[in-house]
Amino acid sequence: MDIIRNFPLFTIVLSLFSGVLCTMLKGKTAKNYTLIYEGVLIVLTACVLFYTVGNGSSFTYTMGEFPAPWGNEIRAGVLEALTALFFLVILFCSVMAGWKFLIIDIDESKINLYFTLINLMTAALMALVWTNDIFTGYVFVEIMTLTSCGIMIVREIGRTTLAAVRYMILNLLGSGLFLLGIVLLYDITGHLLMVPMRETIAGFAAEGTDMTSIMLSLGILTIGLSIKSGLFPFHFWMPDTYGWSTPTSGSILSSLVSKAYIFLLFKIYYRVIGPSVFEALPIRKIIFVLGILGMVFGSVSAMRQKNINRMVAFSSAAQIGYIYMGLGIGGIDGYAAAMFQIFAHSVTKSLLFLTTPRLSEVSGHSLLFRNLQGSGYRAKDAGLVFLLCSFSMVGIPIFAGFSAKLNFATAAAGAGSYRILFFTMIALAVSSVLNALYFIRTCIRIYTSGRGGADIYAPGLYEEANARPGSDLPSGETTVSGSEEPLFSRLDYWIPAAILTGLNLYLGLFSWQTVGLIEKGLAMFP
Amino acid sequence: MIETLLTNYEEAAAIILFGIGLTMLLFQRNLIKKLIGMNIMDTGVFLFLASMGYIEGRRAPIITDGIQDVNAYINPVPAGLVLTGIVVSVSVTAVMLSLSIRLYKRYHTLDLDDVYILSRHQTEDR
C-alpha cells in the first residue's frame, strides 16, 4: 500500500492540473468535472487518513528524493489528513449547493474560469495542509490570496470590488509581514523545512540565546497570519467580503480560507517553534486575550447588523476568536479543542452561507431582516437548516458547537491556571449568551410573519429588487420561489445540506472520536 | 547601537524600506500609492534576503575550477527565495492593478475614502 504515500502530492498536482483544464471546458462541464475530481480527492485523502491511522505514524514525502535539509517535503499525518478531508468535503458541498446562484451571479462565459480559481484554491488549501516547508507555505498563501480575491470579484457589483480591494490590501499587509517573519526565522535557523528548524530552535531555547529574535519573528508572523484569518481587531473586512460575494465564495472564504491560514499558523507554532518553547512565549497570552476579545466584540458587532449575511459574517469573527483562544490555552487539550472548533465552525458556517440566499430569494432577494420575516415558511427546507445551524452556533447539545465549547471548557480546566480557567469560562458564557441573542432572534424572525402581517413579503412588492444585484437577467426571471422549483434541482441543495448537517451532528454526538483522532495526530505531529 | 546599525547597514536599510512600504500601504488613501508601498515593502524583504545570502569574497556555487570547498561558495537558497518572492510580488501587483482599473471604472476615483462614501449611497444595501 505504499502508493498511498504519493496521494498527498496527487491532491495538489491534480488540483493544479484541473485548474488548467477548466479553462478549456464549458461552464456546466467544468462544474461537473470539479465535483467529480473533488470526489476523487476526498477518496484519496480518506485513504491517507486510514493509512496513517492504521500505521499509527506519519510519513514524509521528499520531492525528488533529496533528503532533509535540502529537499522540499510533504508530510502526512492523521491531523493533516483529517483536516484535508474536512476541507474537501466542505468544498464539495459548497460547489454543489451554490451552483444555482452562480449561474445568476456570474456571466456565463466566465463560469469555467470561476472553477479554475476554485481548483487553484483547492491546490493551495491542500498544499497549506500538507506542506513541511514554510516557504512553500508562503507561496501557497499568496496563491490562496489571489484566488480568494478572484472568487470574490466574479460577482461584478461595486460592493464586491470595493470589498475585494479592502480584503486584498489587508491580505497583502498580512502576506508582507508573514514573509518578513519567515525570512527572519530562516535567518536565525538557516533552514526552511520545519523539522530542522525546530531542532535548531530547541537548541537555542536550551542555551537561552537568540530568544528575543525568535519571539520577534514569530510575533511578526503571527500578526501577518492573524490579519489574514480575521482575528480581532483585524476582523472588520469580513462582513463585506463574505456578505456580498456569491454564496459558494462566501461559504468557502468563511469556512476554509481563514481556517487554512490558522492551520498553517498552528503548524508553525507546533512544528517549527515546538509546543514547549511556544508556551513559554508571551505571544500565547496575547492571542488568548485577542481571541476572547474577538469572541465578545464579534458577537456585539453581529447583533447590530440589519443584514443576515453580515450578521453571519461577524459571527465568524467571534468563532475565529474561539480558535485563537484554544491556541492560547495551550496543552494538547487546548490545541485539540482549537482544531475541533475549526472543523465544527467550518461545517456550520459553510451551510449558513449556503442557506441565507435561499431564505433571501423567497423574500424578494433581500437580505434585510425586516424582509426575511416569515421566510422560514416560504422556504421550508432552508428555514429548517438555518434553525439547526443556529442551534449549533449557540451551542445546544447534540450539535457540534456544543461539543466545541465543552472541549474548550475541559481544556481550560486542565490547563492548571486559575486565571485561564476563569477568563475562558466567562468568555464562553458571555459569548454563548450573545450568540443565542442574535441567532435565536433571527430564527424567531424568519418564523414569524410580523405584526398584523403588514411586513410579510408579498410577491410583486419588491419587483425592482428582484434581480440579484449585478445580474443581467431581466427582472422576474430570478424569482423562483422555493416551492415551485423542480425536485431534481433541489437535490443540489438537499444533498450538501444533508451531508453538512450530518457531519455537524456527528461532531456533536460522537465528538470523542474526532477529538481522539486529533490527539492522535498531535502526538505524531512533531 | 549606531555602530551595530552601521555594520549591518544593508539589513537596516531593508527594514527601513519595509517600514516605509508598510506605512504607505496602511495610510495612503490613493490605491496606486498603496500598491507602490506594497512593492517597496516586498523590496525591503528581498534586499534583506539578498544581503543575508551574500558573503563577501565568495562565489556562486557553480564548480568550474575544481574547488569543492564549501567555504568558497555562498548559499544559493536566499537568491532562489528572492526570485520566487519577485514572481509572487509581480503577480499580486498585476491582480491589484486590474482591480484598481475596475474600481476606477465604477467610481471614477482611486481615493479609497471617496470610494467608500460613494459605495454607501448605492442601493445594493438590501
Side-chain angles (χ1 to χ4, degrees), chain A residues 110 135 138-139 142 146 149 153-159 161-162 164-166 168-169 172-173 176-177 179-180 183-184 186-187 192 240 244 307 364-368 464-469, chain B residues 11 15 18 22 25-26 31 34-35 38 41-42 45-46 48-49 52 75 77-78 80-82 84-85 88-89 91-92 95-96 99-100 102-103 106-107 112 115-116 119-120 122 124-126:
Chain A
K110 289 182 186 158
F135 201 79
Y138 164 71
V139 173
E142 290 287 20
L146 291 178
C149 171
I153 54 169
V154 283
R155 190 171 171 212
E156 294 183 42
I157 58 174
R159 285 281 187 155
T161 315
L162 182 60
V165 168
R166 290 177 76 189
M168 280 301 277
I169 288 170
L172 294 177
L173 195 71
L177 290 169
L179 177 64
L180 185 67
V183 164
L184 287 172
Y186 174 57
D187 192 17
L192 287 169
D240 283 343
W244 297 112
N307 174 317
H365 292 278
S366 166
L367 287 165
L368 295 181
E464 85 289 351
N466 63 357
R468 278 167 71 77
Chain B
E11 282 83 354
I15 297 300
F18 187 88
L22 191 80
L25 185 57
L26 269 180
L31 193 55
K34 269 186 192 290
L35 290 184
M38 182 203 89
M41 187 172 89
D42 283 346
V45 181
F46 302 150
F48 187 84
L49 262 174
M52 241 166 41
N75 180 2
V77 175
L81 299 186
V82 171
T84 318
V88 169
S89 165
S91 34
V92 170
V95 170
M96 279 308 286
L99 252 183
S100 320
R102 184 183 272 195
L103 197 77
R106 183 141 194 130
Y107 295 104
L112 281 181
V115 173
Y116 190 65
S119 78
R120 290 200 147 187
Q122 281 180 341
E124 287 160 5
D125 200 357
R126 52 173 183 251

Side-chain angles (χ1 to χ4, degrees), chain A residues 135-423:
Chain A
F135 201 79
T136 309
Y138 164 71
V139 173
F140 280 98
V141 159
E142 290 287 20
I143 294 179
M144 183 100 102
T145 310
L146 291 178
T147 48
S148 50
C149 171
I151 63 169
M152 202 190 316
I153 54 169
V154 283
R155 190 171 171 212
E156 294 183 42
I157 58 174
R159 285 281 187 155
T160 53
T161 315
L162 182 60
V165 168
R166 290 177 76 189
Y167 175 80
M168 280 301 277
I169 288 170
L170 279 165
N171 266 275
L172 294 177
L173 195 71
S175 306
L177 290 169
F178 179 61
L179 177 64
L180 185 67
I182 58 175
V183 164
L184 287 172
L185 271 182
Y186 174 57
D187 192 17
I188 297 164
T189 60
H191 292 289
L192 287 169
L193 285 176
M194 293 185 179
V195 177
M197 280 178 102
R198 195 189 57 248
E199 284 160 5
T200 323
I201 288 177
F204 284 136
E207 291 166 20
T209 49
D210 272 343
M211 285 319 280
T212 321
S213 326
I214 290 173
M215 197 178 72
L216 181 76
S217 28
L218 190 66
I220 292 175
L221 198 145
T222 305
I223 296 173
L225 282 180
S226 53
I227 291 177
K228 290 171 93 75
S229 56
L231 172 66
F232 178 85
F234 311 116
H235 65 290
F236 47 88
W237 52 265
M238 284 178 147
D240 283 343
T241 309
Y242 301 164
W244 297 112
S245 35
T246 184
T248 305
S249 307
S251 152
I252 291 174
L253 286 168
S254 66
S255 55
L256 302 182
V257 174
S258 51
K259 304 301 183 313
Y261 296 139
I262 299 178
F263 188 76
L264 181 67
L265 184 64
F266 173 57
K267 241 170 129 163
I268 290 172
Y269 285 161
Y270 209 88
R271 307 208 45 228
V272 176
I273 306 297
S276 52
V277 181
F278 170 64
E279 278 167 26
L281 294 176
I283 293 173
R284 187 175 70 106
K285 291 175 192 156
I286 296 172
I287 59 172
F288 178 72
V289 173
L290 288 179
I292 285 182
L293 289 175
M295 284 160 70
V296 176
F297 284 99
S299 294
V300 170
S301 307
M303 285 174 77
R304 296 210 306 255
Q305 301 305 316
K306 292 177 185 147
N307 174 317
I308 192 167
N309 259 7
R310 290 176 68 87
M311 180 202 86
V312 176
F314 266 122
S315 110
S316 281
Q319 299 293 321
I320 282 184
Y322 279 86
I323 302 173
Y324 277 99
M325 181 184 79
L327 294 181
I329 291 172
I332 292 286
D333 287 345
Y335 302 134
M339 290 307 300
F340 187 86
Q341 167 72 5
I342 289 184
F343 301 149
H345 178 235
S346 308
V347 166
T348 319
K349 195 47 66 75
S350 53
L351 192 51
L352 274 174
F353 272 112
L354 295 169
T355 301
T356 51
R358 303 232 152 210
L359 293 174
S360 122
E361 73 168 347
V362 292
S363 313
H365 292 278
S366 166
L367 287 165
L368 295 181
F369 286 128
R370 60 182 150 87
N371 299 332
L372 285 171
Q373 294 216 338
S375 56
Y377 294 114
R378 296 192 290 274
K380 290 197 178 60
D381 47 356
L384 179 68
V385 168
F386 190 88
L387 192 69
L388 294 178
C389 287
S390 301
F391 284 166
S392 174
M393 296 302 288
V394 173
I396 291 188
I398 83 161
F399 291 101
F402 172 74
S403 304
K405 283 176 188 168
L406 192 65
N407 286 338
F408 282 119
T410 327
S417 153
Y418 284 113
R419 225 185 287 170
I420 285 186
L421 181 62
F422 177 74
F423 284 118

